[in-house]
Amino acid sequence: MRVVVQNDKNRSSRRVGIRGVIAVLAVAAIASGCAQSAEPKAVPPAPGQPRLKAPEARALDSYATRLRAAMTARAAAAKRWGLKQVPLTAPPAPVEKPHITARKGFEVDDQEELGLPPVFTTVPTKERIVFLTIDDGAEKDRAFLRMMSELKIPYTAFLSNFLVKDDYPYFRKMQSEGVTLNNHTLTHPFLPGLSYEEQRHEICGMQKVMKKEFGKAPTVFRPPFGNYNRDTLRAAKSCGIKYAPIWDEEVFVDHWEYREWDRDLHPGDIVLTHFRGRDEWKGTMVDDMRRFLNRVTADGYAVARLEDYL
């Protein structure tokens, strides 16, 4: 009898022990489950797959939202300013800048030996882009500033002091919108008819005005009328000028003019227009820009920023 009782006790003891272990394991499992529900354990991705980073995904979604908003705003602006199509967006600025040289036939004696600023009409690129440049500064059209700002169209201004000195703030406003202001001499003379020192005064004098009024002396210069000689480029270099772009096409409020025989646009072409209004043209600068943008957009070109390629 004693042996049987002892066996029963052993069995009972073993049952209690087993139940205790089960209880401990159950508590541990519950605790573990609570911990997992509070802080989910990251599940590693399949081999070779990157981990998903929620902040980056949210940033990408935010960028897409901003991009859609910008496109919507540009489409609304195009309609508001009477354009036939929404202007195309230029590609990003090149990481490696193209090598700019003087256009063949536009060189002067000792061009390369003296390292003179190259005169060119087109930037070497295969992208379907053109560059808008506007000369002198005679007309100060506020509607033009609003139009270009709302449409996000880049352009480069070449200023002559005798035409801009009555309203420097107008051009500072332009500059604040990201427009680069460049040198077009003090008084817009026919430079080849002047001596070297007279040309240097015209160019360097405008450099000083640009530095004083706009905070920076530019490195880009356009000779008035597109006329220059060796002394022009020597003087320009001495004043800190590195480039002397002219143009391949010129747009007016009622027509276009072309340098090339095919009378067409080409990738990288520099287009010229002027700060003009109804006093001299049959329309406003807004009318002029409407003609320009309708043409380049219809031909599949975007307007890029010249300085991004220099």
Side-chain angles (χ1 to χ4, degrees), residues 12 25 59 81 102 144 221 227 241 246-247 266 275 310:
S12 176
L25 291 174
W81 292 102
F144 160 78
F221 156 74
N227 295 129
I241 297 298
I246 49 176
W247 61 90
H266 317 90
F275 289 95
L310 302 182

Side-chain angles (χ1 to χ4, degrees), residues 7-53:
N7 288 341
D8 287 344
K9 286 182 177 179
N10 288 341
R11 291 191 188 97
S12 176
S13 177
R14 285 197 298 272
R15 290 193 191 101
V16 172
I18 292 169
R19 290 193 188 102
V21 171
I22 292 172
V24 170
L25 291 174
V27 171
I30 293 171
S32 175
C34 291
Q36 287 183 0
S37 63
E39 296 182 15
K41 189 174 181 180
V43 178
Q49 299 299 311
R51 293 179 180 274
L52 177 64
K53 297 181 180 180

Side-chain angles (χ1 to χ4, degrees), residues 100-160:
I100 306 291
T101 58
R103 175 171 168 157
K104 187 175 182 180
F106 287 57
E107 311 95 332
V108 298
D109 291 341
D110 302 320
Q111 175 83 46
E112 294 187 5
E113 291 80 356
L114 296 177
L116 300 179
V119 175
F120 55 102
T121 63
T122 300
V123 172
T125 179
K126 294 181 180 179
E127 300 280 3
R128 289 185 69 83
I129 55 173
V130 295
F131 304 98
L132 174 63
T133 61
I134 310 180
D135 278 9
D136 64 45
E139 181 75 9
K140 288 83 172 174
D141 187 336
R142 265 65 186 178
F144 160 78
L145 289 184
R146 292 196 303 274
M147 178 187 194
M148 302 303 271
S149 176
E150 292 176 11
L151 290 169
K152 308 300 181 189
I153 303 297
Y155 59 99
T156 298
F158 289 90
L159 306 182
S160 291

Side-chain angles (χ1 to χ4, degrees), residues 227-245:
N227 295 129
Y228 61 95
N229 59 16
R230 183 171 177 271
D231 281 348
T232 307
L233 301 185
R234 287 179 55 232
K237 180 182 179 181
S238 76
C239 301
I241 297 298
K242 296 181 180 179
Y243 300 98

Side-chain angles (χ1 to χ4, degrees), residues 59-109:
L60 185 61
D61 182 65
S62 176
Y63 171 75
T65 299
R66 293 196 305 273
L67 187 61
R68 285 193 296 270
M71 293 174 65
T72 299
R74 203 176 198 206
K79 182 177 181 180
R80 184 163 54 252
W81 292 102
L83 301 185
K84 295 178 180 179
Q85 300 178 62
V86 180
L88 300 175
T89 301
V95 175
E96 184 176 346
K97 309 295 184 185
H99 179 55
I100 306 291
T101 58
R103 175 171 168 157
K104 187 175 182 180
F106 287 57
E107 311 95 332
V108 298
D109 291 341

